[in-house]
Amino acid sequence: MLRVENLSVNYGAIKALKKVSFEVKQGEIVALIGGNGAGKTTTLNSISGILPIHEGKILFGDKDLTRIPPHEIVKLGICQVPEGRRVFANMSVLENLEMGGYSISDKKAVSEGIERAFTLFPRLKERMKQLAKTLSGGEQQMLAMGRALMSSPKLLLLDEPSMGLAPMLVEKIFEIVVEINRQGTTIMLVEQNANMALSIANRAYVLETGEVVLSGIAADLAQDPEVRKAYLGE
Amino acid sequence: MLLQQLINGVALGSTYALIALGYTMVYGIITLINFAHGEIFMAGAFVGLLAVSILKLNIFVAMLLAMVVSMSIGVVIELIAYRPLRRSSRLSALISAIGVSIFLSSLALMIFGADAKGFPSTAFPVRQIKVGEAEISSLQLLIIGISALLMMGLEFIVKKTKIGKAMRATSEDYNTAALMGINVNRVISFTFALGSALAAAGGVLVGVLFNAVSFNMGLMAGLKAFAAAVLGGIGSIPGAMLGGLMLGVTEVLGVAAGFSSYRDAIAFTILVLVLLVKPTGLLGRKIQKKV
Ligand SMILES: Nc1ncnc2c1ncn2[C@@H]1O[C@H](COP(=O)(O)OP(=O)(O)OP(=O)(O)O)[C@@H](O)[C@H]1O
Ligand SMILES: [Mg+2]
């Protein structure tokens, strides 16, 4: 479904990604794990088209995404839940969801999408008129996910959904990620919380200073002594 | 008489508010002070003048025409002078804006000459209407009425329409707006169109009010409106409205209190004070860092 080949991205002189290659197949949950500054966010933002790419290819189906503007990429079926949630703070919950459905011109489809988001996250329905900035961290994460799902993406990119959340909430969010996947959305999950990510992913890639250093079946990686040492705190 | 000064101040302030809105909306989205905005206002005034004096159009139709022409000018300026610099430093875009501003006022000087031109006296019949002790002219009423109407229209667009909501989303978080499927370039063009149309309406109203349209009218009006936008909180739409009105009233009161030779200095004194005391202005939000 998504194939990234030899992707390199620079910020000025900083080489954030060095010939990164990976693949996400239809229906999978693929985790991309790595420490601070490894290049995880950079990878997702390159796929979403908001960063200029230095070299390499990003193929979605047989379409090359590297010169396609971000809003077109959403139309093709890739949507991202950005790191730190990034809800539109001074807009209401409902308006945030509407923005997620911006690429849909059919009004009825938008209101169906909103209903779906409310079914998945009933908390959002109770707060639909509230400004997003008045939500708790967990609620904001739900809103960010609901918002991204509005465009009915084929591939959902999640950037550190567990960031800054209490363990109970993290568990809840991951359950929902699995549920979204079960309903047919392919997922690429970026996490520092490797333990959680590996527990729900089918496959995983480990990124270190801009390079893929390990990859494989998630369950195997979770047993790998090096991974356990570097990312699972052993 | 206070009521009279308030009426005069609100009328003048409405025109500042119309111009200030363009500064604030553009800044809100691409954090650029559009230095050419005053010249868009000037262009609107000239289009209105030509439409009334040569095409013999009535003032309302002339204003609509001015709004449409300025809208296109604003959109084209963004397209050729700012968009190519989007990924460059803030300073490059600012210099480009100053260049466009000088270019447009020089162009107007070449075409229309240095003398201020007036609207024909038939453009809008001026009558005085008694309001208690004070008087309001039909012209002031027109200015206040049109400004109020335009601002309500803007409020509706920004609050209720899809593109207006996209404007707010983009101004809150440019990258995330793009990630949600919003075509941010379209939103930016739309923002320039809106701001320029309001400035053009302001230009026609100011041209009729002072009965003078000249190549350099955009400079002072632009700077004052910018001060108004900063006073209200740059980036905030209600702030620009409030800032414009407050500046107009302050200016008129200042003149009435005997500071008429400092008329233009009032705006800049306010600007400096705001920047010193409360840089986010009256209604401005703390500027979030956009990563
Ligand atoms: N806008 C930027 N300008 C310059 N350098 C940047 C920028 N964004 C990221 N970098 C650098 O690129 C590298 C990769 O950053 P990235 O944000 O992709 O890491 P990450 O894996 O998402 O980290 P984290 O887990 O902390 O979010 C880092 O060295 C970072 O300092
Ligand atoms: Mg990151």
Side-chain angles (χ1 to χ4, degrees), chain A residues 35 72 86 91 105 115 123 131 133 141 153 166 181 190:
Chain A
E72 298 284 349
R86 300 237 160 207
M91 298 176 81
S105 41
E115 275 318 306
R123 284 283 271 280
L131 292 186
K133 66 178 169 193
Q141 184 61 45
N181 177 249
V190 156

Side-chain angles (χ1 to χ4, degrees), chain A residues 86 89-90 95 98 102, chain B residues 162 165 168 172-173 179:
Chain A
R86 300 237 160 207
N90 290 293
E95 286 174 331
E98 285 171 10
Y102 194 80
Chain B
K162 192 171 171 185
K165 289 177 192 175
R168 279 192 286 145
E172 275 202 34
D173 193 329
L179 286 179

Side-chain angles (χ1 to χ4, degrees), chain A residues 45 48 50 52 70-71 74 79-80 82 86-91 95 98-105 147-148, chain B residues 87 159 162-163 165-166 168-169 172-173 175-184 186-187 285 288-291:
Chain A
N45 283 343
S48 287
I50 59 174
H71 64 273
V74 174
C79 199
Q80 187 190 139
R86 300 237 160 207
V87 293
F88 300 116
N90 290 293
M91 298 176 81
E95 286 174 331
E98 285 171 10
M99 290 299 101
Y102 194 80
S103 52
I104 307 168
S105 41
R147 182 179 66 174
Chain B
R87 285 188 190 274
K159 285 272 154 70
K162 192 171 171 185
I163 182 90
K165 289 177 192 175
R168 279 192 286 145
E172 275 202 34
D173 193 329
N175 274 341
T176 305
L179 286 179
M180 291 306 118
I182 294 171
N183 181 345
V184 285
R186 264 238 305 275
V187 170
R285 306 197 274 273
Q288 301 149 295
K289 222 173 88 197
K290 295 176 186 173
V291 185

Side-chain angles (χ1 to χ4, degrees), chain A:
Chain A
M1 171 177 233
L2 179 80
R3 241 185 40 240
V4 172
E5 291 173 3
N6 294 321
L7 177 66
S8 299
V9 175
N10 305 338
Y11 296 102
I14 302 169
K15 291 188 166 42
L17 293 183
K18 293 164 241 170
K19 292 193 177 288
V20 167
S21 300
F22 61 88
E23 187 181 14
V24 181
K25 298 192 198 111
Q26 175 116 31
E28 279 188 313
I29 298 181
V30 171
L32 182 65
I33 58 180
N36 281 112
K40 306 181 295 296
T41 300
T42 305
T43 306
L44 293 194
N45 283 343
S46 311
I47 298 170
S48 287
I50 59 174
L51 280 178
I53 285 160
H54 180 65
E55 72 173 317
K57 271 202 200 124
I58 301 173
L59 296 165
F60 186 55
D62 45 17
K63 222 173 162 82
D64 188 356
L65 299 184
T66 45
R67 304 262 166 262
I68 300 186
H71 64 273
E72 298 284 349
I73 291 177
V74 174
K75 276 206 186 122
L76 289 174
I78 302 181
C79 199
Q80 187 190 139
V81 181
E83 180 176 315
R85 336 193 202 293
R86 300 237 160 207
V87 293
F88 300 116
N90 290 293
M91 298 176 81
S92 70
V93 167
L94 197 58
E95 286 174 331
N96 267 275
L97 293 175
E98 285 171 10
M99 290 299 101
Y102 194 80
S103 52
I104 307 168
S105 41
D106 179 11
K107 274 195 179 153
K108 206 168 132 251
V110 174
S111 35
E112 282 168 9
I114 291 173
E115 275 318 306
R116 246 182 297 132
F118 286 158
T119 320
L120 201 54
F121 304 107
R123 284 283 271 280
L124 295 181
K125 184 163 192 169
E126 298 160 26
R127 289 163 173 71
M128 86 188 162
K129 296 246 156 60
Q130 261 173 253
L131 292 186
K133 66 178 169 193
T134 65
L135 300 182
S136 72
E139 289 161 355
Q140 289 191 10
Q141 184 61 45
M142 294 176 194
L143 178 56
M145 286 167 66
R147 182 179 66 174
L149 288 172
M150 284 294 296
S151 60
S152 308
K154 301 184 187 106
L155 172 63
L156 183 68
L157 310 175
L158 288 162
D159 197 345
E160 299 202 36
S162 75
M163 191 197 221
L165 299 184
M168 277 250 305
L169 263 171
V170 173
E171 206 135 315
K172 170 110 180 94
I173 293 286
F174 274 77
E175 270 168 30
I176 293 171
V177 171
V178 171
E179 173 61 24
I180 293 169
N181 177 249
R182 215 184 45 78
Q183 292 179 9
T185 309
T186 307
I187 287 173
M188 170 142 194
L189 171 66
V190 156
E191 265 298 343
Q192 284 202 36
N193 188 338
N195 216 348
M196 279 308 272
L198 291 177
S199 74
I200 66 164
N202 304 106
R203 290 185 309 112
Y205 294 84
V206 180
L207 204 58
E208 229 170 68
T209 56
E211 285 172 288
V212 173
V213 292
L214 269 173
S215 64
I217 308 288
D220 296 347
L221 282 180
Q223 301 307 321
D224 186 293
E226 264 184 62
V227 174
R228 295 191 74 82
K229 197 160 141 234
Y231 300 102
L232 303 177
E234 285 181 12

Side-chain angles (χ1 to χ4, degrees), chain B residues 85-109:
Chain B
L85 296 172
R86 190 88 51 77
R87 285 188 190 274
S88 323
S89 77
R90 203 100 44 97
L91 189 62
S92 329
L94 198 61
I95 292 170
S96 183
I98 294 172
V100 173
S101 155
I102 297 173
F103 169 77
L104 288 178
S105 57
S106 311
L107 190 68
L109 176 62

